[in-house]
Amino acid sequence: MCSWNADCVEEIDAQRVLGYALFKDGKNTRLSYPLEKFHSDVAGRSFHNGRFIQRMREKAATLPNVRLEQGTVTSLLEDNGAIKGLQYKTKTGEEIKAFAPLTVVCDGCFSNLRRSLCKPKVKWPANLVE
Ligand SMILES: Cc1cc2nc3c(=O)[nH]c(=O)nc-3n(C[C@H](O)[C@H](O)[C@H](O)COP(=O)(O)OP(=O)(O)OC[C@H]3O[C@@H](n4cnc5c(N)ncnc54)[C@H](O)[C@@H]3O)c2cc1C
């Protein structure tokens, strides 16, 4: 985690994690993080993902060149094969167009928007049960 957002794990009830324990068929083993050469506060953190995201949003909002808008993106606005912005719906149902030199689409693994940009072959390379 870069130091700019390290404090986003503060005040969200994040728990220090020093490794993992694996349990199977009545047997168990420990996988410790190699922390010997680091400062005593260096450790993993286990936290509620939503709280962490909210902390990062709050932090981003403090930057002078950032303005947060909330809404559901209904479509990307394309001009001559290039994405020029997007159209989104606010909580009150108002449809707004926003334009930008760069549009970053990050609407998750069930993305509807990505489908209009490419034909992704989604793979599930790993499963982790915690
Ligand atoms: C149960 C569970 C446990 C996990 N545990 C871990 C873990 O311990 N460690 C780890 O590294 N990863 C974990 N993951 C995986 C991790 O959550 C995902 O890899 C990560 O959240 C993906 O981030 P993302 O930004 O691509 O998508 P998301 O986190 O899914 O974010 C997409 C966002 O886009 C929004 N959105 C979608 N469509 C629109 C739209 N049309 N307009 C506006 N907004 C839209 C969604 O509301 C959402 O806020 C876990 C996942 C699950 C389901």
Side-chain angles (χ1 to χ4, degrees), residues 13-92:
D13 198 25
Q15 305 297 313
R16 293 177 88 238
V17 178
L18 304 174
Y20 283 89
L22 301 178
F23 298 87
K24 193 179 178 192
D25 300 333
K27 289 185 275 182
N28 66 72
T29 189
R30 280 197 275 177
L31 294 172
S32 307
Y33 291 153
L35 301 171
E36 303 82 32
K37 291 180 191 144
F38 296 99
H39 186 273
S40 60
D41 189 43
V42 173
R45 291 290 188 281
S46 172
F47 48 76
H48 189 288
N49 187 47
R51 290 182 198 159
F52 178 61
I53 301 288
Q54 284 303 94
R55 287 275 290 169
M56 287 202 290
R57 285 180 176 149
E58 283 164 16
K59 190 148 189 185
T62 64
L63 299 176
N65 55 347
V66 170
R67 200 183 80 214
L68 288 187
E69 298 284 334
Q70 198 170 350
T72 301
V73 177
T74 49
S75 63
L76 297 170
L77 301 173
E78 207 172 318
D79 182 26
N80 237 348
I83 302 298
K84 298 289 179 194
L86 52 85
Q87 183 156 334
Y88 69 97
K89 206 175 201 172
T90 65
K91 239 181 184 174
T92 56

Side-chain angles (χ1 to χ4, degrees), residues 20 49 53 57 71-74 88 106-114 128 130:
Y20 283 89
N49 187 47
I53 301 288
R57 285 180 176 149
T72 301
V73 177
T74 49
Y88 69 97
C106 46
D107 57 340
C109 64
F110 301 112
S111 170
N112 288 323
L113 302 166
R114 213 157 36 229
L128 177 64
E130 289 178 79

